Amino acid sequence: MRRCEHRKAVSSLLLALASLGMLATTPSSRADDDVDSQQDPSTAPSARPRGTPSRELGTMTVIGRRESSLPAQIPTTVEGIDREQLDAKVNAVDAEDALKYFPSLLVRKRYIGDYDHAVLASRASGTGNSARSLVYADGILLSNLLGNGATFTPRWGLVTPEEIERVDVLYGPFSAAYPGNSVGAVVDYVTRMPTELEMHASVSTFTEDFSIYSSEGHFGGWQTSASVGDRNGNFSWWLSVNRLDSDAHPVSFANKLVSSGVADTAGTPVTGALPDKNPRNQDWLILGSTTQTNTLQDHAKVKVAYDFTPTLRLSYTLGWWANDSERSSSTYLRDAAGAPVHNGSINVDGRRYTLTPADFAPSNGDLRHWMQGLSLKSGGSQWTWEASASAYDYDRDLTRQPTVALPAADVGGAGRITDQQGTGWTALALRATWRAGETAAHVVDVGLQRDRYELRTRVSDTPDWLAGEPAASFSAFTGDTDLTSVYAQDTWAFAEGWRATLGARVERWQASNGTVSNAASTLPFAERRDTSVSPKAAIAHQ
């Protein structure tokens, strides 16, 4: 990796302060001796032991850091990592790599650039429950709560490692400031804004040797990024771009249960099928590799901020993420002439199996997503508050798959297009924190939030799965959900070393416009509403 940076780090200031401290603690000069000689004899240099400093300075620490959006006081574990630790300890290629070494936390990333299966899991919530953890970036919700499962991943691509100032993780549903699906964890990315002119650029490459079953080879890719930012008076801005090109190994394999075969001599005799056991310890045959992904991802982001006063800031973020992906398949099966076999009826060791187009189905993706957020934040010694709004939009989201088998599908042919344009979510939030007194015996958090999700999925037939336009409708799915929440929480330091937290969250959930359609009919779903109260109570001694 090659990285060039132009910045004046806080460490330079600390070094300068340390140098002043060293000058102040070195043996005094002649002028100092003259001054000291006029003082009380007991404090004169001759009366002090050799090496005793002539004067002492207290330790000064200067830290410049954007605050986390997590509540100020919460009765649970919070782990964090800052930019300096990331640079020193983590080889971060993408945003989720910043979570590599957090305790009790896992991102199921199968390869670099895994955009649709890299779900967040914790000790309290596994990889099959993606909707039970929340990921934010500068208060903008990145979690994909349109569903719950391995394919509903946070939109990690909207944050790059170079812009991360710090990452904090709240473990468990112990704060009224977050909804019930924070039962796993809450991840809060805080991205940086410059205090002076900064320019960064980096280029990296990666490679691996891969071998399993009959698949082997070298897989790798590269990444390049650049960013620039500056502050002029009360106005600061940041611009960053990033490109990732990753050629990943296969992550799944075509298979048939041995028990599904029919004992006869029909079908094309083939070789190359590998016997193995599936996770249920059943005998199956590995027929080939699938989901070997080449992904080309582009990212661009603009952030601007204006400080009306030292404690009042208005900020805006606009992000764009694009992904072009190709997922290919490869068969291990060979006929008597050594030609690859992808479809039809085959015979393996006296058992007949039928290969369908879905067994070795390639697919292509074309995604263009937008993210934007606006916030007004005020911070003070007693009151802090924030008003924010954000939106995530599937401006273009196409997935193409053939309905004809390989090798015919390699040159086109019939297929289907899944279009999710119009899908997305918006969020509004008002938050405030009040600290009572100089000792902050009470820290009160209150807030109002509203989240809205819209699902728009259309599946259409097409005469050419590679480049054809949508034709007849095959199926469709729609639905809207709204979640409105009000919360209040008081953290009370009622005695030395003791702290009590009491709070409650009221949530009203509503689902509407739900439909499932096929080519002939549409099935609507009735609206649903639900209101619940979630109390919070904890007492801690430290």
Side-chain angles (χ1 to χ4, degrees), residues 110-111 208 210-212 214-217 219 247-253 288-293 328-330 332:
R110 303 169 299 173
Y111 54 87
E208 67 165 336
F210 180 84
S211 178
I212 188 172
S214 296
S215 297
E216 60 180 26
F219 301 90
D247 187 18
H249 59 254
V251 297
S252 57
F253 297 86
S289 65
T290 62
T291 325
Q292 180 179 328
T293 306
S328 58
S329 301
S330 179
Y332 299 159

Side-chain angles (χ1 to χ4, degrees), residues 72-73 433-436 440-445 489-493 499:
Q73 299 287 340
T433 299
W434 174 66
R435 296 170 175 84
H442 287 272
V443 179
V444 179
D445 292 295
Q489 180 171 279
D490 180 18
T491 303
W492 176 30
R499 193 179 300 273

Side-chain angles (χ1 to χ4, degrees), residues 234-277:
N234 295 337
F235 178 74
S236 57
W237 58 274
W238 178 273
L239 171 64
S240 62
V241 292
N242 183 285
R243 165 163 281 199
L244 171 68
D245 190 341
S246 178
D247 187 18
H249 59 254
V251 297
S252 57
F253 297 86
N255 59 81
K256 296 290 184 181
L257 286 173
V258 173
S259 60
S260 68
V262 178
D264 61 29
T265 58
T268 302
V270 295
T271 59
L274 303 175
D276 202 355
K277 297 278 189 180

Side-chain angles (χ1 to χ4, degrees), residues 290-301:
T290 62
T291 325
Q292 180 179 328
T293 306
N294 175 264
T295 178
L296 180 64
Q297 299 179 19
D298 291 310
H299 159 101
K301 181 181 287 186

Side-chain angles (χ1 to χ4, degrees), residues 289-358:
S289 65
T290 62
T291 325
Q292 180 179 328
T293 306
N294 175 264
T295 178
L296 180 64
Q297 299 179 19
D298 291 310
H299 159 101
K301 181 181 287 186
V302 177
K303 297 183 294 183
V304 294
Y306 187 83
D307 295 328
F308 295 98
T309 70
T311 60
L312 182 62
R313 166 175 286 191
L314 177 68
S315 58
Y316 174 73
T317 299
L318 176 64
W320 175 77
W321 177 76
N323 178 58
D324 294 312
S325 63
E326 295 181 359
R327 287 178 166 164
S328 58
S329 301
S330 179
T331 178
Y332 299 159
L333 305 178
R334 298 293 185 269
D335 61 18
V341 177
H342 301 89
N343 58 84
S345 180
I346 62 171
N347 194 290
V348 180
D349 297 332
R351 284 183 173 271
R352 175 169 49 86
Y353 306 87
T354 300
L355 298 179
T356 69

